[in-house]
């Protein structure tokens, strides 16, 4: 069987696949929930991944631009850029009715959703697709899960890494053959629900906003106490094993910042039949962290005990298909 190409007819394309995609990249002032977007780019693709058009904008973050050495955008360059509310309608036009595609999509979606919430609008996005998760579904032989590795695998040349427009172009060019490979192999696309922010609570002291995604609250805020969760009803089946699904009853610990709100991530963990562990012990099945090289007590203990460690993107992918507990 050969790779599906431009001659692929609509009739041969999987009917269950989405009708269009918005490949997105945003550059930001940082990685925290109160950080802001400084630039955004969108490539609109049709159902088979062909480019329809692209769009790019700078955004005035109304604060220090953050890691200029990464994104290259100084305060002077952003001073006359539009504010996010000024570009929200144009961005909505490009996202509406399409699956948001990004590399580590949970981060880009979270940043976009919070910007919409600050502007008292709702992002018109219902589903997202992470190209990291898709690469894993396709078992691509990548040395790591960085965008540059995905690009190199498909022969896509990066010109300006961490430039939103070029990163979105690179991802669009790498996504198309990934999409065709998935269609050829009959792979179900790893689509996840996007839960738009429904509230934005302003702090009277700082004017800063606190976002809620669906029924979540911002992790660690004093206005809502830590949720007391019921005991997991399933026995602990032991440690997570690479290339196998999570199993109900596994004990999962989290360490460090997460792109998605921590409480929502823990809610999804509990809903899947897993146990949220507040610390790492010999009984911990898995540690989720975006910084496995940090010297936090949890990562140090995990390495001491040989506890498996995965990043947030990999974990949210694993959450899609948790195996039932042993009967």
């Amino acid at each position: 069987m050969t790779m599906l190409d431009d001659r692929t007819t609509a009739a041969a394309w999987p009917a269950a696949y989405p009708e269009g995609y918005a490949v997105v990249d945003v550059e930001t002032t940082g990685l925290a929930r109160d950080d802001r977007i400084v630039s955004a780019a969108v490539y609109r693709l049709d159902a088979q991944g062909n480019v329809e058009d692209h769009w790019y904008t700078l955004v005035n973050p109304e604060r220090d631009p953050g890691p200029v050495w990464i994104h290259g955008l100084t305060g002077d360059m952003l001073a006359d850029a539009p504010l996010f509310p000024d570009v929200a309608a144009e961005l909505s036009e490009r996202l509406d009715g399409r699956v948001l595609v990004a590399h580590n999509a949970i981060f880009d979606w979270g940043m976009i959703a919070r910007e919409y919430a600050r502007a008292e609008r709702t992002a018109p996005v219902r589903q997202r697709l992470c190209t990291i998760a898709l690469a894993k579904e396709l078992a691509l032989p990548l040395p790591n899960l960085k965008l540059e590795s995905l690009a190199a695998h498909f022969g896509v040349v990066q010109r300006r890494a961490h430039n939103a427009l070029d990163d979105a172009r690179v991802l669009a060019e790498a996504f198309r053959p990934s999409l065709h490979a998935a269609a050829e192999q009959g792979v179900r696309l790893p689509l996840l629900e996007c839960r738009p922010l429904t509230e934005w609570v302003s702090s009277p002291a700082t004017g800063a906003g606190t976002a809620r995604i669906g029924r979540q609250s911002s992790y660690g805020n004093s206005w809502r106490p830590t949720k007391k969760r019921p005991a997991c009803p399933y026995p602990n089946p032991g440690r997570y094993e690479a290339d196998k699904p999570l199993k109900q009853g596994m004990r999962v610990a989290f360490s460090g910042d997460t792109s998605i709100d921590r409480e929502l991530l823990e809610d999804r963990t509990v809903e899947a039949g897993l146990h949220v562990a507040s610390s790492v012990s010999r009984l911990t099945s898995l540690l989720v962290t975006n910084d496995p090289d940090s010297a936090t007590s949890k990562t140090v203990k995990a390495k001491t005990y040989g506890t498996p460690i995965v990043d947030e993107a990999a974990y949210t992918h694993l959450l899609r298909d948790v195996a039932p507990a042993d009967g």
Side-chain angles (χ1 to χ4, degrees), residues 93-278:
E93 181 182 338
R94 285 158 175 78
L95 299 177
D96 194 19
R98 296 171 185 265
V99 171
L100 184 151
V101 177
H103 204 65
N104 192 17
I106 199 168
F107 172 76
D108 295 81
W109 160 244
M111 295 300 300
I112 289 170
R114 284 190 288 274
E115 289 287 10
Y116 270 93
R118 292 185 186 97
E120 298 183 343
R121 301 174 67 111
T122 300
V125 180
R126 295 295 170 263
Q127 289 182 307
R128 66 179 183 270
L129 188 157
C130 181
T131 47
I132 293 176
L134 182 57
K136 290 182 176 180
E137 288 279 5
L138 296 172
L140 299 181
L142 305 178
N144 55 55
L145 296 174
K146 295 180 179 179
L147 177 58
E148 61 189 47
S149 297
L150 182 66
H153 177 76
F154 289 112
V156 180
V157 178
Q158 281 188 297
R159 301 191 185 104
R160 296 179 61 192
H162 298 296
N163 170 275
L165 182 59
D166 196 58
D167 279 355
R169 175 194 62 81
V170 168
L171 189 59
E173 291 184 21
F175 175 63
R176 183 176 182 276
S178 298
L179 180 64
H180 282 235
E184 180 184 72
Q185 298 172 30
V187 171
R188 185 181 67 178
L189 297 180
L191 302 175
L192 291 177
E193 177 188 6
C194 287
R195 303 173 68 178
L197 302 185
T198 57
E199 293 182 57
W200 184 260
V201 181
S202 294
S203 165
T206 65
T210 296
R212 295 186 183 183
I213 300 179
R215 57 190 174 83
Q216 80 174 19
S217 70
S218 290
Y219 181 71
N221 282 335
S222 59
W223 53 266
R224 179 169 174 176
T226 301
K227 182 182 294 185
K228 185 176 182 180
R229 304 181 185 279
C232 181
Y234 308 110
N236 184 357
R239 289 180 172 172
Y240 164 72
E241 296 180 43
D243 300 324
K244 291 186 179 181
L246 294 170
K247 183 176 289 188
Q248 288 180 327
M250 283 187 171
R251 298 175 64 89
V252 180
F254 299 91
S255 178
D257 289 337
T258 51
S259 300
I260 195 170
D261 187 279
R262 178 70 68 82
E263 187 170 324
L264 178 57
L265 196 56
E266 292 180 352
D267 281 349
R268 291 179 177 173
T269 298
V270 172
E271 289 165 2
L274 305 169
H275 173 85
V276 175
S278 59

Side-chain angles (χ1 to χ4, degrees), residues 136 145 236-253 274 281-288 305-311 313-323:
K136 290 182 176 180
L145 296 174
N236 184 357
R239 289 180 172 172
Y240 164 72
E241 296 180 43
D243 300 324
K244 291 186 179 181
L246 294 170
K247 183 176 289 188
Q248 288 180 327
M250 283 187 171
R251 298 175 64 89
V252 180
L274 305 169
S281 72
R282 297 183 187 278
L283 298 177
T284 304
S285 306
L286 181 69
L287 174 66
V288 179
Y305 298 144
T307 304
I309 299 175
V310 301
D311 62 20
Y315 180 67
T316 55
H317 176 59
L318 288 169
L319 272 180
R320 293 191 307 107
D321 192 19
V322 176

Side-chain angles (χ1 to χ4, degrees), residues 27-31 34-38 61 63-67 71:
E27 297 300 318
T28 66
T29 60
L31 304 178
D34 59 350
D35 275 301
R36 306 295 300 272
I37 290 175
V38 295
R63 53 164 288 180
D64 183 277
H71 53 60

